[in-house]
Amino acid sequence: MRIVIAGGHGQIALRLERLLSAGGHEPAGIIRRPEQAADLREAGAEPVVLDLETASSHMVADALRGADAVVFAAGAGPGSGADRKDTVDRGAAVLLADAAERAGVRRYVVVSSMGADASHPGEEVFDTYLRAKGAADDEIRSRTALDWTILRPGTLTNDAGTGLVRLEARTGRGPVPRDDVAAVVAELLETPATAGLTLELTSGSTPVSVAVKAVAGN
């Protein structure tokens, strides 16, 4: 499959690109800065330079043509203000959905966040982030032209992945290595029957492939 990943230079995205490339797929990563291209090529991914905060849906659709799936793994990142939580964590996810529909790409996997909720209370930047992610998730789930899956990981860590997870509609809070998040996204992309599911993810005791098959009903 050709899989286009928004936020292609992010920590989860780079891990995902390596996994997909090793699995015989053709990953492409959307990046804002041309100097990030070498890291994507090293991960086995094609770099696509495009700013999702300023691009039109037509421009993004052009980048998605011929893709079998898209993954939204972009984020404004730590240190960014409330405005960019809205333009990236919400706005870019919706823009990518618009572009996917325009390009005829049905499969759409979102890396969201545990606790994402459009009505989350609070005035801190993290509260704004959770509202933005929740609003994006709600928008994606309303799209009947997309075969979406929303993945909501717990607290992300840089610990080495174990390949053992808990993946359910509700897991309760907990940590999960970015390695294992990337592995779950790769498995979701291989499992069309997970379309229409919103899933929480933490470390657990079930191998990734088994956990994904279980939620898919296989």
Side-chain angles (χ1 to χ4, degrees), residues 13-24:
L14 286 168
R15 288 166 166 84
L16 175 60
E17 287 154 6
R18 292 187 190 98
L19 288 174
L20 293 174
S21 179

Side-chain angles (χ1 to χ4, degrees), residues 1 29 34 44 46 58 95 100 114 117 133 141 154 160 171 182 186 191-192 198:
M1 293 188 291
E46 173 196 342
H58 287 280
L95 173 66
M114 193 173 292
D117 183 348
K133 295 297 279 187
R141 288 185 292 203
T171 62
T191 314
T198 300

Side-chain angles (χ1 to χ4, degrees), residues 3-133:
I3 299 158
V4 181
I5 303 161
H9 195 259
Q11 295 188 68
I12 291 172
L14 286 168
R15 288 166 166 84
L16 175 60
E17 287 154 6
R18 292 187 190 98
L19 288 174
L20 293 174
S21 179
H25 298 295
E26 299 176 11
I30 297 175
I31 52 176
R32 253 186 337 129
R33 300 201 295 272
E35 60 268 27
Q36 298 172 333
D39 290 339
L40 268 73
R41 292 191 185 98
E42 185 180 346
E46 173 196 342
V48 178
V49 180
L50 192 63
D51 188 344
L52 293 177
E53 289 183 90
T54 59
S56 68
S57 62
H58 287 280
M59 293 167 63
V60 182
D62 286 343
L64 300 185
R65 297 202 190 281
D68 299 289
V70 296
V71 176
F72 185 79
S80 58
D83 288 349
R84 292 200 69 230
K85 301 302 184 194
D86 184 67
T87 58
V88 179
D89 293 286
R90 184 201 60 77
V94 174
L95 173 66
L96 190 69
D98 291 340
E101 290 182 348
R102 195 179 292 275
V105 183
R106 290 197 62 92
R107 189 70 171 117
Y108 189 120
V109 176
V110 179
V111 180
S112 183
S113 175
M114 193 173 292
D117 183 348
S119 60
H120 179 83
E123 299 306 320
E124 299 297 324
V125 172
F126 189 68
D127 299 321
T128 303
Y129 166 77
L130 291 177
R131 283 194 292 273
K133 295 297 279 187

Side-chain angles (χ1 to χ4, degrees), residues 59-213:
M59 293 167 63
V60 182
D62 286 343
L64 300 185
R65 297 202 190 281
D68 299 289
V70 296
V71 176
F72 185 79
S80 58
D83 288 349
R84 292 200 69 230
K85 301 302 184 194
D86 184 67
T87 58
V88 179
D89 293 286
R90 184 201 60 77
V94 174
L95 173 66
L96 190 69
D98 291 340
E101 290 182 348
R102 195 179 292 275
V105 183
R106 290 197 62 92
R107 189 70 171 117
Y108 189 120
V109 176
V110 179
V111 180
S112 183
S113 175
M114 193 173 292
D117 183 348
S119 60
H120 179 83
E123 299 306 320
E124 299 297 324
V125 172
F126 189 68
D127 299 321
T128 303
Y129 166 77
L130 291 177
R131 283 194 292 273
K133 295 297 279 187
D137 292 354
D138 289 346
E139 174 66 27
I140 302 310
R141 288 185 292 203
S142 75
R143 304 292 184 103
T144 57
L146 297 177
D147 296 328
W148 53 264
T149 304
I150 309 290
L151 181 66
R152 292 177 166 177
T155 303
L156 300 171
T157 76
N158 286 325
D159 296 339
T162 65
L164 300 174
V165 298
R166 184 177 179 190
L167 180 69
E168 299 171 15
R170 292 283 184 273
T171 62
R173 295 192 176 275
V176 60
R178 288 178 172 88
D179 286 349
D180 290 335
V181 177
V184 168
V185 173
E187 196 72 27
L188 291 172
L189 289 165
E190 298 265 17
T191 314
T194 57
L197 299 178
T198 300
L199 301 165
E200 293 184 351
L201 172 67
T202 62
S203 291
S205 58
T206 305
V208 167
S209 61
V210 175
V212 171
K213 286 182 174 64

